[in-house]
Amino acid sequence: MLRPVALLLIFLASSPALAVETMRIAMSEARTEVQVSGQGLAFGTDTEDATFHPLGARQVTVRRKGRKLEVNGAPVVGDAVRFRAGALSYDAGVPGDEPLRAGDMQVRGDVVVRLYRDGLQLINVIPLEDYLTAVLGSEMPVSFPAEALKAQAVAARTYALQKKLEAYGSAFYLGSSVLHQVYGGVNREDPRTRAAVEATRGEVLTYELAPIEAYFHASCGGRTESGQAALQRDLPYLQAVECPCGKLPASRWSADVSEAELRSALSGSPEGLRIAGRTGTRRVSRVTTADGTTLDGARFRQRLGYTKLKSLDFEVEKTAHGYSFTGRGYGHGAGLCQWGAKALADGGWEYREILSHYYPGAELQQLY
């Protein structure tokens, strides 16, 4: 059963005028100039109740001139300007639905261009459910079963709201890269992802009436990792659980790493490289070398590269040309396993059961 969470409504809308829940997503950074384009392009201040003024052009150039902004050569007041496509057909406080392009991304909602460091920063202000539709298309194959997509939608919504609560009042709440949730804009939307978002609209996972830190990853290799071991986050709903993805070919990987690559990662000789510690799920927690160099497993993976060393569940052996790594899983291993969710959905599980399995102790509740 879903229960309303009245206490969480406190942080939802940033102003009474805002009719929908929105996110502020950092899209990218530009040097000193960026092009913004869209049908019926208009601009206003970076406020939720801004009045938008038609620009009479489908494309404009925003430039930084010292500590000032210019739009098509005309100075604007303040350190940020907000753009909307089709602005005249939308209510104040509700980001536009007509796509617009800023830099190399096409997005729904509004785009803010603001002074940032020595250049410009682009921020997408977008309704949460539209944002999730594109996140799903970026984070999970759209061919996955509907119940797996729904589980991912709830996890992504919960993660986004928790980050918004954490960063409330900041210029943006999340980035658009793998360091946050991958967000590719309009090009990553799909009818199946929109259906999954709509089917779970407003549903979030909570623990003690607060959105959980709903981490997720591609594949755990057969057993998820605890939040403490994977992320140094000792959270009661991020516990190690069994997962069917370990039987899937997609969970297996191998990588050949040269001695030079290892020397760079270790900042020293890789001679005698060995695994010196493992977590309770047998993920590598520490590596050492013959000269006494010791490196934390997570830092070792970061230095070698996340796409090279796909997880910390690996074995390593020296070869004639370097070192050979063989492993299972892809990602940090905490929370929802996407390939595991697929396997469970293929086996008849519905999304509520999937979420309960990967986030034990969390409650699924209707936030709005």
Side-chain angles (χ1 to χ4, degrees), residues 217-224 241 243 245 283 313 328-330 333 337:
H217 58 280
S219 170
C220 68
R223 187 169 174 81
T224 66
V241 300
C243 178
C245 82
R283 288 173 171 84
D313 186 354
R328 301 191 307 174
Y330 195 170
C337 171

Side-chain angles (χ1 to χ4, degrees), residues 191-333:
R192 286 175 56 81
T193 64
R194 186 165 292 281
V197 170
E198 287 299 319
T200 62
R201 185 178 184 85
E203 293 181 24
V204 296
L205 291 160
T206 67
Y207 187 82
E208 297 182 345
L209 297 182
I212 70 169
E213 296 182 45
Y215 290 98
F216 52 86
H217 58 280
S219 170
C220 68
R223 187 169 174 81
T224 66
E225 182 64 286
S226 71
Q228 180 63 53
L231 308 158
Q232 291 73 58
R233 308 286 293 136
D234 188 13
L235 301 168
Y237 46 80
L238 292 182
Q239 301 299 326
V241 300
E242 297 296 326
C243 178
C245 82
K247 300 176 183 178
L248 302 175
S251 73
R252 307 283 178 165
W253 58 268
S254 63
D256 292 323
V257 180
S258 69
E259 187 167 325
E261 288 176 293
L262 276 173
R263 184 179 294 276
S264 176
L266 293 165
S267 299
S269 172
E271 190 63 36
L273 176 68
R274 69 180 184 89
I275 297 166
R278 291 185 183 271
T279 70
T281 62
R282 292 197 51 76
R283 288 173 171 84
V284 174
S285 61
R286 190 171 69 259
V287 297
T288 62
T289 61
D291 66 5
T293 298
T294 299
L295 194 62
D296 172 81
R299 180 63 61 85
F300 180 60
R301 181 176 176 233
Q302 179 187 45
R303 289 185 179 181
L304 270 185
Y306 295 126
T307 56
K308 172 77 76 172
L309 206 60
K310 292 187 175 183
S311 78
L312 288 175
D313 186 354
F314 66 79
E315 304 288 345
V316 59
E317 63 178 15
K318 194 174 188 332
T319 67
H321 304 289
Y323 290 79
S324 176
F325 291 79
T326 56
R328 301 191 307 174
Y330 195 170
H332 51 63

